[in-house]
Amino acid sequence: DAGVTQSPTHLIKTRGQQVTLRCSPISGHKSVSWYQQVLGQGPQFIFQYYEKEERGRGNFPDRFSARQFPNYSSELNVNALLLGDSALYLCASSSPGHKTEKLFFGSGTQLSVL
Amino acid sequence: QQQVKQSPQSLIVQKGGISIINCAYENTAFDYFPWYQQFPGKGPALLIAIRPDVSEKKEGRFTISFNKSAKQFSLHIMDSQPGDSATYFCAACFNTNAGKSTFGDGTTLTVKP
């Protein structure tokens, strides 16, 4: 079975631009979470979606938004990019039920903002 | 406010030695504590996890020790191998909702042959 897949793997943008990152969860997983991992730090929670509903939002500005589609895939959008948005963006999915112990991460999208 | 503090930032261990990584948390409502292993270019992968109602959990060479009163937990890697060289993250979450976890800042482990 395929794991969590994210696209693109790398992305370079300039300040002020907008970016959309994509995630496909493991088949059968209904919960998708997004994390930001700055170099040298641990992942920081951005959003969780379950059954297309937002189940949680971390301490990120409104420039960050996300959605989940009927097939449980998800997109993360970041508007008005800042240099500080440069990071590895990780998507994670979990097994049926939005409260679950096992979280499976994709390999991430490395975003560079110049 | 950093709710999960991890130490040390980096660790060098000889092959066959014991690697110990410590974490401390602030919020007593956390009820699930996973550890993740991350290799360069990859996302974190779940290694082992514990709930606060037990003081120790062992899976192969990996053991979690949990001290509820001190709000601390640690990962012990026995017989450390060069293949264990990676970054390790502790995490904590509420209601076993791992999708909404708070992570420590990571420990880079190097196991020398």
Side-chain angles (χ1 to χ4, degrees):
Chain A
D1 283 341
V4 177
T5 57
Q6 293 187 242
S7 63
T9 55
H10 295 83
L11 204 51
I12 299 174
K13 292 285 188 179
T14 57
R15 281 180 298 174
Q17 286 188 312
Q18 175 264 343
V19 68
T20 298
L21 311 180
R22 295 176 176 84
C23 171
S24 292
I26 290 172
S27 178
H29 286 193
K30 298 180 180 180
S31 177
V32 169
S33 298
W34 287 95
Y35 287 82
Q36 180 195 64
Q37 186 176 19
V38 173
L39 190 63
Q41 296 182 17
Q44 189 170 359
F45 173 73
I46 309 175
F47 285 109
Q48 183 184 30
Y49 276 79
Y50 176 72
E51 290 273 18
K52 296 172 288 180
E53 297 283 330
E54 182 182 306
R55 292 291 180 157
R57 182 187 183 113
N59 188 23
F60 280 81
D62 291 343
R63 300 184 295 108
F64 288 77
S65 63
R67 56 179 174 168
Q68 188 177 32
F69 299 98
N71 66 353
Y72 304 114
S73 66
S74 178
E75 286 183 352
L76 175 70
N77 294 283
V78 187
N79 293 321
L81 285 167
L82 303 175
L83 296 178
D85 295 331
S86 295
L88 180 67
Y89 288 85
L90 294 163
C91 174
S93 74
S94 49
S95 53
H98 69 282
K99 294 181 181 180
T100 182
E101 302 172 357
K102 292 193 175 181
L103 199 60
F104 297 86
F105 283 89
S107 294
T109 294
Q110 185 66 54
L111 172 65
S112 299
V113 182
L114 306 178
Chain B
Q1 179 189 10
Q2 187 175 13
Q3 296 194 58
V4 179
K5 294 184 179 179
Q6 185 171 344
S7 64
Q9 191 173 14
S10 63
L11 182 61
I12 299 174
V13 173
Q14 289 294 128
K15 178 182 176 181
I18 303 173
S19 304
I20 302 174
I21 304 170
N22 301 299
C23 280
Y25 63 97
E26 299 172 2
N27 195 326
T28 55
F30 286 136
D31 62 2
Y32 185 65
F33 302 87
W35 283 89
Y36 293 86
Q37 179 188 57
Q38 185 176 29
F39 292 104
K42 299 291 187 183
L46 178 65
L47 202 57
I48 186 173
I50 197 168
R51 297 176 188 273
D53 53 348
V54 297
S55 60
E56 186 174 282
K57 183 174 182 180
K58 183 176 180 179
E59 288 184 3
R61 296 185 295 109
F62 302 93
T63 300
I64 301 178
S65 296
F66 191 88
N67 186 330
K68 189 174 181 178
S69 61
K71 294 188 288 184
Q72 295 175 348
F73 58 110
S74 59
L75 175 69
H76 296 235
I77 305 174
M78 313 299 287
D79 187 26
S80 298
Q81 300 297 312
D84 297 330
S85 297
T87 301
Y88 292 81
F89 294 96
C90 61
C93 62
F94 305 103
N95 296 323
T96 65
N97 183 3
K100 220 166 139 180
S101 292
T102 299
F103 283 77
D105 278 341
T107 297
T108 301
L109 171 65
T110 302
V111 181
K112 292 198 166 185

